[in-house]
Amino acid sequence: MAPLPLEGIRVADFSWIINGPQIAQWLATMGAEVIKIESQVYIDIGRINPAGMADGKPGPNRNGFYHMLNYGKKAINLNLGTPKGYDLACDLIRKSDLVIECFPRPVSERLNLTYARIKAVKPDIVMISVSLLGKTGTEPSSWVGWGPMACCFAGMFDAQGYPGGPPRQTGGTWPDYAIASAVVFHTLAALRHRKRTGEGQWIDASMGETVISQMNEWFMDYFMNHRDRGQWGNRDAMMAPHNTYKCKGEDRWIAIAVSNDAEWNALCAVALHPEWARDARFVDRAARLNHREEIDALLRDWTRSHDHRELAATLQRVGVPAGPVLDSVELHEDSHLWKWGYWMKMAHHEVGERIIPGMPVKMSNVPELNYSMPPDVGQHNREIFGGLLGLSDAEIQTLMEQKVIY
């Protein structure tokens, strides 16, 4: 395999669950040596979440949730609650370029994983901290929470609710994944800064602010016009139709978003209803926004007899933005995702062949990323403690028996 862009960069990764592991994984696939520091005292939730266990059989090396966020890495066991365990962590940090942690501030302080402490160990370190609302500022900087809570704090779930209804959650925990992408960019900038100046720095990353930054039109409407938009469901301020519509089959839907007259006229032609295009209620964008409910009613009657994927393809061919709403089975079967190379087959030594997602980008001069197998618990203990930190086999064995390497 040709050299990867981040070869020579070493990461001491204390993170767990989703956001930190994905930051580390993006770096690992680009060639960074990521050493994941785990403890059997508090094992990564990704290893034990029952929903991700292959074939429903428990085992810390069998979990698909762990596999999809930890390929390309190495893994060691270290009990940071012991003095020797913390000393070894500091030894590893001295040999690293980056440190990642994603604990709530009180936990980081209890584990001595604050930037002040880590900088004292290695002054030019670049340290990444990810938390619900950042680790500096007022009281919320010490709050404990998860990705969906960041959406609540930022008002997103309220905005997504249907008018008059309760807040509505999206599927998945996308703030964790969104902040991972943003932090990787800032990490590369911090490494470039260090190369130019010799200075390390702290990246204090907030999931809440990450969510806010992706719904600017919502709060800018208030900042500029003193309007709180409230709950909009699938509506849009500029487009109508802009909604999902039931199609043929059980729980099959299509999303359609029309932004101009040309798209509307094309939709009317596909629907074999040219009279819609001539109707004064729908004649231009402003008229369609004022009569969005009538449009939705017409489209609901039309789409219910069509296959969602075939109809989306037909609309796309005439320039109408449309897409099928896919479930997990359809995502698995989607020929484009396979041909593009996003889905990969992994032959794991415990769970056999499984499908995992790859990176969502391709680089023309980096044809092969690091997709090495997600590590077993403590798989690289001997390599890291013996090779990198210089402990003898006898010392490693003793530390295992003392539950320091544990």
Side-chain angles (χ1 to χ4, degrees):
M1 187 167 68
L4 289 166
L6 296 183
E7 284 189 15
I9 299 295
R10 179 175 293 131
V11 183
D13 175 20
F14 295 89
S15 70
W16 66 340
I17 310 178
I18 298 177
N19 53 50
Q22 186 165 57
I23 294 168
Q25 181 170 268
W26 281 56
L27 298 171
T29 57
M30 288 293 171
E33 181 189 19
V34 174
I35 301 170
K36 185 175 178 66
I37 298 104
E38 301 179 281
S39 165
Q40 295 186 67
V41 178
Y42 297 106
I43 198 164
D44 193 328
I45 292 174
R47 288 191 182 276
I48 59 176
N49 188 326
M53 291 296 181
D55 305 317
K57 298 177 182 177
N61 302 320
R62 299 182 56 82
N63 204 300
F65 294 161
Y66 185 86
H67 293 163
M68 74 173 190
L69 287 169
N70 290 284
Y71 50 72
K73 304 178 186 177
K74 300 175 181 177
I76 62 173
N77 294 137
L78 199 55
N79 184 355
L80 297 178
T82 63
K84 182 60 177 177
Y86 187 74
D87 288 346
L88 287 170
C90 291
D91 290 342
L92 181 57
I93 290 167
R94 291 186 186 94
K95 294 179 177 292
S96 299
D97 303 283
L98 299 168
V99 168
I100 304 175
E101 62 89 17
C102 60
F103 302 110
R105 195 179 74 189
V107 177
S108 300
E109 292 171 350
R110 188 172 72 243
L111 293 174
N112 273 325
L113 290 178
T114 63
Y115 178 59
R117 178 63 186 132
I118 301 303
K119 184 180 179 182
V121 173
K122 189 167 194 268
D124 68 343
I125 198 77
V126 173
M127 181 169 174
I128 301 161
S129 296
V130 181
S131 58
L132 178 66
L133 298 169
K135 292 189 175 180
T136 53
T138 59
E139 181 187 347
S141 63
S142 65
W143 286 2
V144 177
W146 305 84
M149 291 179 63
C151 293
C152 295
F153 179 85
M156 173 168 281
F157 287 175
D158 181 54
Q160 291 179 156
Y162 290 109
R168 193 164 61 108
Q169 181 177 354
T170 56
T173 56
W174 71 266
D176 289 271
Y177 300 98
I179 197 170
S181 304
V183 166
V184 167
F185 167 78
H186 291 93
T187 299
L188 297 179
L191 288 174
R192 179 169 171 77
H193 176 83
R194 190 186 69 167
K195 185 175 182 180
R196 288 163 43 192
T197 67
E199 298 172 343
Q201 61 184 295
W202 184 32
I203 299 173
D204 179 18
S206 160
M207 281 196 291
E209 277 86 337
T210 298
V211 176
I212 293 173
S213 71
Q214 296 180 48
M215 49 187 296
N216 293 347
E217 68 275 14
W218 220 259
F219 62 80
M220 286 307 296
D221 197 1
Y222 181 77
F223 290 177
M224 302 299 287
N225 303 305
H226 301 289
R227 287 191 303 230
D228 176 21
R229 289 191 171 190
Q231 298 159 322
W232 271 41
N234 293 331
R235 292 180 175 180
D236 184 81
M238 300 286 288
M239 290 184 270
H242 187 280
N243 210 337
T244 54
Y245 304 92
K246 184 81 170 61
C247 288
K248 182 171 65 177
E250 179 69 22
D251 198 25
R252 295 290 184 255
W253 299 79
I254 185 173
I256 300 174
V258 170
S259 63
N260 56 48
D261 294 344
E263 292 170 1
W264 173 244
N265 292 336
L267 184 150
C268 296
V270 170
L272 303 179
H273 284 289
E275 73 278 11
W276 293 353
R278 297 190 297 270
D279 193 315
R281 295 173 299 170
F282 317 136
V283 69
D284 57 25
R285 187 171 66 183
R288 290 191 291 274
L289 285 169
N290 287 331
H291 297 90
R292 67 176 88 220
E293 287 80 8
E294 293 97 316
I295 292 178
D296 283 346
L298 291 172
L299 294 190
R300 279 195 294 269
D301 286 341
W302 170 56
T303 60
R304 66 176 62 252
S305 61
H306 292 270
D307 178 86
H308 61 319
R309 285 187 284 197
E310 292 176 0
L311 184 56
T314 300
L315 289 170
Q316 284 285 348
R317 281 194 285 271
V318 297
V320 178
V325 181
L326 302 181
D327 60 23
S328 55
V329 176
E330 292 172 312
L331 274 177
H332 170 268
E333 296 171 344
D334 190 87
S335 59
H336 170 73
L337 294 174
W338 281 105
K339 190 167 185 179
W340 194 85
Y342 184 62
W343 297 135
M344 304 185 302
K345 291 184 177 179
M346 175 189 71
H348 190 273
H349 70 99
E350 281 198 32
V351 305
E353 185 175 274
R354 290 293 189 275
I355 299 167
I356 56 173
M359 291 292 107
V361 296
K362 291 182 178 179
M363 299 175 69
S364 60
N365 282 333
V366 186
E368 188 176 358
L369 303 179
N370 173 20
Y371 286 129
S372 63
M373 200 67 63
D376 291 352
V377 174
Q379 181 179 336
H380 300 92
N381 282 343
R382 296 282 176 181
E383 175 184 331
I384 301 302
F385 291 115
L388 183 63
L389 300 186
L391 301 185
S392 67
D393 286 346
E395 289 174 310
I396 293 172
Q397 186 60 39
T398 298
L399 291 170
M400 287 181 171
E401 292 168 359
Q402 294 173 343
K403 294 191 174 181
V404 173
I405 298 178
Y406 178 73

